[in-house]
Amino acid sequence: MLIALYSLLPILLAFAGGLNLKKVVKNIRPSTFDIISTLSLYLLLLIMGATVGGIPDIKEQLVVAGFNALTIASGTSLATFIVLVAVDKLSGEKRPPRTAPDLRNSRSDILSILLPTLTQIITTAGGFILGFKGLMPDLDADLIISFLLYLLIFSVAVKLSYSNISMKRVLLNKANLRLTLITILSSFTGAALASLFIKVHLHEVLAVGSGFGWYTLSGTLFTKMGNPLLGTVAFLSDLFRGISALVLIPLISRFGYSNAAIGISGSTALDVTLPIIEKYCGAAYIPFALLMGGITTLAVPFAIPFFYYL
């Protein structure tokens, strides 16, 4: 537990510092932190890929890592979907199916959203190849990863402080808060059930499930904590969850289960999948998407080390 607290403290300080920076420094340009967070992210992915590529016998272990990731992603997404559909049925809040937008426009929207994800995958794969071939310079990877991670969290917090999202107003909606808690608990339940089918400790599976789709951070956190292979599992698991959400949101929302469609997207509901949610689920569901995406995003850097060190 002390190790978990030790890992959480700098993350908490970085996040709190970013949220309060505008109170100390005037005339801050949030766009500057867009550039900083983007550069930090791609450097993190490159180094994480190189760290994984340098693991002995990694080729043999990647098959197992991929299977474990797919199992955890399927468990968390499926459990979240089933529970939220059941909640909608019990509460009678299922809404009429929405008419799907033009298919050609829908495809182009999803492709434009997937483009950054593809570049991030390519960056990670490039780092993996460099590490596998032994072409990376001999650097203190742990120190660099820690610095970039805290810088990324700091930058995200700064941008959040300048957003127009009123978390206080969103949190006043008790129904959305209840659905958010149900989403988180069902995700943990799905991860726990997934642990029955793979040879990974329960606390590690729960830690991976705590990524909630934020693959660009979850994999890095595990690498920083000294387990790059589990970082690969987390990266792939959250990547699978995020991509499946982009594909499934239009389909699920057609049947009137928009809450379930939003729930499976996890933390990506705050950014990547938000335009898709607005388009297919409707503006009425934006508050739930912001609340659920915001809370799960905030939870990731704290829940992962908490469960990992149990």
Side-chain angles (χ1 to χ4, degrees), residues 11 19-20 26 80 88 149 165 175 182 194 232 255 257 261 266 276 290-291 297 301:
I11 292 173
L19 283 178
N20 293 283
K26 305 298 181 182
T80 300
D88 277 350
L149 175 62
I165 299 173
I182 291 172
T232 302
F255 293 94
Y257 296 114
I276 300 295
L290 292 176
L291 179 61
T297 296

Side-chain angles (χ1 to χ4, degrees), residues 1 28 55 69 74 85 89 102 108 110 112 129 143 152 174 177 182 188 202 207 210 226-227 233 249 279 283 294:
M1 185 61 69
I28 297 175
I55 297 174
S74 300
V85 167
K89 284 184 173 294
D102 182 75
S108 63
I110 293 176
S112 65
I129 294 172
L143 180 62
L152 175 63
K174 294 182 179 179
L177 183 58
I182 291 172
F188 286 146
L202 175 60
S210 299
N227 197 332
V233 175
I249 285 172
K279 184 169 187 175

Side-chain angles (χ1 to χ4, degrees), residues 5-303:
L5 291 174
Y6 176 77
S7 299
L8 289 174
L9 183 59
I11 292 173
L12 179 60
L13 292 174
F15 194 85
L19 283 178
N20 293 283
L21 182 65
K22 68 178 182 179
K23 298 178 182 178
V24 180
V25 182
K26 305 298 181 182
N27 301 322
I28 297 175
R29 298 179 60 184
S31 58
T32 302
F33 288 91
D34 284 329
I35 299 172
I36 293 174
S37 62
T38 300
L39 290 175
S40 300
L41 171 61
Y42 280 94
L43 284 172
L44 274 171
L45 293 175
L46 183 71
I47 296 173
M48 188 190 79
T51 303
V52 174
I55 297 174
D57 303 322
I58 184 60
K59 289 176 64 177
E60 292 76 11
Q61 297 185 58
L62 271 181
V63 176
V64 177
F67 174 77
N68 291 344
L70 185 60
T71 303
I72 296 172
S74 300
T76 54
S77 297
L78 188 59
T80 300
F81 172 76
I82 292 173
V83 171
L84 287 177
V85 167
V87 169
D88 277 350
K89 284 184 173 294
L90 290 173
S91 63
E93 291 183 1
K94 177 185 173 183
R95 300 194 181 185
R98 290 174 56 84
T99 303
D102 182 75
L103 186 58
R104 289 170 298 179
N105 292 336
S106 304
R107 285 176 177 171
S108 63
D109 287 345
I110 293 176
L111 286 175
S112 65
I113 291 173
L114 279 175
L115 185 59
T117 301
L118 291 174
T119 59
Q120 291 161 11
I121 294 172
I122 292 171
T123 301
T124 308
F128 176 86
I129 294 172
L130 290 174
F132 184 74
K133 297 292 186 179
L135 299 176
M136 284 294 288
D138 188 14
L139 302 172
D140 189 342
D142 290 338
L143 180 62
I144 296 173
I145 288 174
S146 296
F147 174 77
L148 291 173
L149 175 62
Y150 302 146
L151 183 60
L152 175 63
I153 292 174
F154 179 83
S155 301
V156 169
V158 171
K159 292 189 292 180
L160 183 61
S161 70
Y162 277 89
S163 69
N164 294 321
I165 299 173
S166 174
M167 293 306 295
K168 182 178 179 180
R169 184 173 61 183
V170 173
L171 282 169
L172 291 177
N173 190 314
K174 294 182 179 179
N176 288 339
L177 183 58
R178 183 176 66 252
L179 285 172
T180 298
L181 295 176
I182 291 172
T183 299
I184 292 173
L185 292 176
S186 60
S187 184
F188 286 146
T189 301
L193 292 174
S195 69
L196 300 175
F197 301 94
I198 56 179
K199 295 180 179 179
V200 182
H201 295 299
L202 175 60
H203 72 98
E204 293 180 336
V205 176
L206 289 172
V208 172
S210 299
F212 297 114
W214 194 358
Y215 65 90
T216 54
L217 180 64
S218 60
T220 305
L221 276 173
F222 284 104
T223 302
K224 178 185 177 298
M225 293 186 297
N227 197 332
L229 186 59
L230 195 60
T232 302
V233 175
F235 176 84
L236 292 175
S237 175
D238 288 324
L239 181 64
F240 291 154
R241 181 169 178 171
I243 293 176
S244 64
L246 286 172
V247 175
L248 293 174
I249 285 172
L251 177 63
I252 295 173
S253 61
R254 284 191 184 186
F255 293 94
Y257 296 114
S258 293
N259 286 329
I262 296 169
I264 63 174
S265 64
S267 65
T268 63
L270 191 64
D271 42 57
V272 176
T273 56
L274 188 60
I276 300 295
I277 290 169
E278 192 278 331
K279 184 169 187 175
Y280 289 94
C281 301
Y285 287 90
I286 293 299
F288 172 48
L290 292 176
L291 179 61
M292 191 276 298
I295 289 180
T296 51
T297 296
L298 292 174
V300 171
F302 305 103

